[in-house]
Amino acid sequence: MSDFYIEDCDCNSDESQECERHFKCVCDTRQKKIKANRTKLRCGNSGSLVLPANTIAGTSFTLTTVSVNAKDLRKPCINLEFTSNISNMDSGLTLDFQIFKQCNGRTTPIPIGPVWVFSRPSGILNSNTFSFFVCDCDICDDECCVYSVVARVASIVTGVTLINHASLSAFIVDNDCNACKSR
């Protein structure tokens, strides 16, 4: 005969710990199934740009865009990722990059996130990857938005500069914990 026996215990109570000390307690634990948040991926168009020598400071260019439809998502949050390759030929260069959004036909673009700065002193012949990401969780359910990356020349370009393979992608997810429970 055994020195202990199996007894049903309430596994979520304080008794359970006491029960486990004196008896071999068998708890039937069930894992709650959590539904995954819905996720969408949107890839924008790839753009390229040639900045001629002596481009003046303050000149702006739209490099790439991506369209996002938050239809059927609850409290959507969007991770926007930008990447490009910047080459210049013996020129000093400072460029400011920022993402803007225009939603549901609004005419005024809204800046998203900080201004990202790419800078290179003159005399360096090089090519660099330049990338950053920004999250936008200030978007309404069922809202359609176009996100754009705008580059602004912050200092006079002293030589030819190429911005190649500029692309913007968007990962859109449900950001509402209750959205999982309601399905």
Side-chain angles (χ1 to χ4, degrees), residues 160-179:
V160 176
T161 299
L162 306 170
I163 302 174
N164 292 311
H165 310 293
S167 64
L168 181 63
S169 59
F171 297 94
I172 310 111
V173 297
D174 276 331
N175 196 30
D176 182 16
C177 292
N178 294 322

Side-chain angles (χ1 to χ4, degrees), residues 78 105 109:
I78 302 169

Side-chain angles (χ1 to χ4, degrees), residues 88-138:
N88 69 333
M89 297 159 199
D90 199 27
S91 67
L93 176 67
T94 302
L95 297 172
D96 295 335
F97 291 82
Q98 188 159 27
I99 296 179
F100 291 87
K101 76 174 176 181
Q102 288 181 274
C103 300
N104 294 339
R106 293 185 190 112
T107 57
T108 305
I110 300 167
I112 303 297
V115 173
W116 296 84
V117 179
F118 177 87
S119 185
R120 179 178 299 133
S122 62
I124 297 176
L125 302 171
N126 210 345
S127 180
N128 295 97
T129 299
F130 181 71
S131 62
F132 60 87
F133 68 91
V134 175
C135 288
D136 180 18
C137 297
D138 187 23

Side-chain angles (χ1 to χ4, degrees), residues 32-38 72-75 141 174 176-183:
K32 186 177 179 180
K33 292 185 179 181
I34 299 173
K35 294 181 181 178
N37 286 359
R38 290 173 289 185
D72 300 328
L73 297 178
R74 299 209 32 194
K75 296 185 181 177
D141 302 355
D174 276 331
D176 182 16
C177 292
N178 294 322
C180 301
K181 295 174 189 172
S182 65
R183 283 186 253 150

Side-chain angles (χ1 to χ4, degrees), residues 5-183:
Y5 64 94
I6 297 174
E7 184 172 310
D8 289 334
C9 302
D10 181 7
C11 295
N12 293 327
S13 71
D14 292 335
E15 297 179 341
S16 176
Q17 292 175 354
E18 184 66 30
C19 179
E20 287 178 4
R21 277 188 231 134
H22 297 293
F23 311 107
K24 184 173 182 172
C25 187
V26 177
C27 294
D28 181 21
T29 58
R30 293 188 176 109
Q31 291 184 347
K32 186 177 179 180
K33 292 185 179 181
I34 299 173
K35 294 181 181 178
N37 286 359
R38 290 173 289 185
T39 303
K40 295 180 179 184
L41 168 65
R42 296 286 301 162
C43 296
N45 55 3
S46 182
S48 294
L49 177 68
V50 176
L51 293 175
N54 300 318
T55 301
I56 60 170
T59 305
S60 295
F61 303 93
T62 298
L63 295 172
T64 182
T65 62
V66 66
S67 297
V68 171
N69 185 348
K71 184 175 172 68
D72 300 328
L73 297 178
R74 299 209 32 194
K75 296 185 181 177
C77 194
I78 302 169
N79 179 27
L80 298 152
E81 295 187 8
F82 171 76
T83 186
S84 64
N85 187 30
I86 301 174
S87 302
N88 69 333
M89 297 159 199
D90 199 27
S91 67
L93 176 67
T94 302
L95 297 172
D96 295 335
F97 291 82
Q98 188 159 27
I99 296 179
F100 291 87
K101 76 174 176 181
Q102 288 181 274
C103 300
N104 294 339
R106 293 185 190 112
T107 57
T108 305
I110 300 167
I112 303 297
V115 173
W116 296 84
V117 179
F118 177 87
S119 185
R120 179 178 299 133
S122 62
I124 297 176
L125 302 171
N126 210 345
S127 180
N128 295 97
T129 299
F130 181 71
S131 62
F132 60 87
F133 68 91
V134 175
C135 288
D136 180 18
C137 297
D138 187 23
I139 183 170
C140 296
D141 302 355
D142 293 334
E143 195 165 36
C144 290
C145 297
V146 175
Y147 290 87
S148 304
V149 176
V150 175
R152 187 181 71 80
V153 177
S155 62
I156 295 175
V157 177
T158 57
V160 176
T161 299
L162 306 170
I163 302 174
N164 292 311
H165 310 293
S167 64
L168 181 63
S169 59
F171 297 94
I172 310 111
V173 297
D174 276 331
N175 196 30
D176 182 16
C177 292
N178 294 322
C180 301
K181 295 174 189 172
S182 65
R183 283 186 253 150

